[in-house]
């Protein structure tokens, strides 16, 4: 009998900030701010997700081994902003574990997590992984040596910091290609989280490709909970929007990026 295909509902959060202090954690500016929730909203998200799913988040390594139910869900946090430790503490108070993906070149930089913070997250029981070395705006534009360096160097820094091999990562900027995935696998990544809204687990060269549902500032707690519960409608809606943006990027290229930046700068 064929083994059932594993599906996991993975949510992608970023920084959690106080109202009006969007630049206090992580990358500054209007584009990153779209992914930053305030603390009251974030805690409401967690409360509603727990009520709807009736379960705690899982660790991806365990979920992908098949040791959890098919309705399992997981929490990830990208960028490694300075709010990460406080987020980790909030999860720990609930007995939850999350995944925190860190840009290794920015450890200790203003508005980003410190070295001690990285170690503290793991001591709380969370998984720390790579979000690349320098967070290129478009990973697909990097050369083969640059891609390998982005993954390999970041994993090396985090592994040295934590005292054991680090093999999980998430893709910065949402720009994925087979070159990006193969470079990650070559560098030693065994689980690569992308920004594609999908619960199905893919693979490339032995590296698991895990899609995620992006949580933006205006996403309702009920929608986040529906995503975590694996309900099909929000995942389908996310995929339609994702494919539309992908097509616009392919057609518009650099012009699309410039138009999007101008639109965000107007506060749209």
């Amino acid at each position: 009998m064929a083994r059932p295909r594993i599906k996991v509902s993975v949510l992608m959060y970023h920084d959690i900030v106080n109202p009006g202090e969007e630049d206090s954690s992580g990358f500054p500016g209007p584009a990153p701010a779209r992914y930053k929730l305030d603390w009251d909203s974030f805690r409401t998200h967690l409360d509603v997700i727990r009520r709807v799913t009736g379960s705690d988040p899982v660790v991806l390594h365990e979920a992908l081994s098949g040791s959890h139910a098919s309705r399992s869900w997981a929490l990830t946090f990208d960028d490694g902003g300075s709010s990460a430790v406080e987020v980790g503490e909030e999860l720990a108070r609930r007995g939850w574990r999350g995944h925190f993906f860190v840009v290794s070149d920015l450890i200790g930089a203003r508005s980003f997590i410190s070295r001690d913070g990285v170690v503290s997250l793991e001591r709380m029981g969370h998984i720390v992984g790579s979000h690349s070395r320098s967070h290129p705006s478009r990973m697909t534009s990097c050369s083969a040596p640059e891609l390998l360096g982005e993954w390999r160097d970041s994993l090396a820094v985090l592994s040295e910091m934590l005292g054991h091999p680090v093999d999980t990562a998430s893709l910065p900027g949402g720009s994925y290609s087979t070159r990006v995935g193969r470079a990650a696998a070559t560098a030693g990544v065994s689980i690569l989280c992308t920004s594609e809204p999908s619960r199905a687990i893919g693979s490339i060269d032995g590296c698991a490709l895990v899609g995620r549902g992006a949580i933006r500032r205006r996403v309702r707690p009920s929608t986040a909970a529906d995503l975590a519960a694996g309900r099909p409608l929000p995942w389908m809606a996310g995929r339609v929007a994702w494919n539309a943006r992908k097509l616009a990027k392919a057609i518009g290229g650099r012009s699309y990026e410039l138009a999007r930046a101008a639109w965000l700068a107007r506060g749209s």
Side-chain angles (χ1 to χ4, degrees), residues 152-174:
R152 183 171 283 167
D153 294 352
S154 180
L155 293 176
V157 167
L158 293 170
S159 297
E160 182 277 329
M161 204 171 286
L162 296 172
H164 63 79
V166 170
D167 66 350
T168 59
S170 73
L171 183 68

Side-chain angles (χ1 to χ4, degrees), residues 14 62 66 115 151 189 232:
H14 287 72
E62 297 174 358
R115 181 187 181 98
W151 295 126
V189 175

Side-chain angles (χ1 to χ4, degrees), residues 176-199:
Y176 176 80
S177 69
T178 54
R179 290 174 58 251
V180 173
R182 285 180 174 145
T186 300
V189 175
S190 66
I191 297 176
L192 177 62
C193 293
T194 71
S195 300
E196 185 170 355
S198 173
R199 296 180 65 237

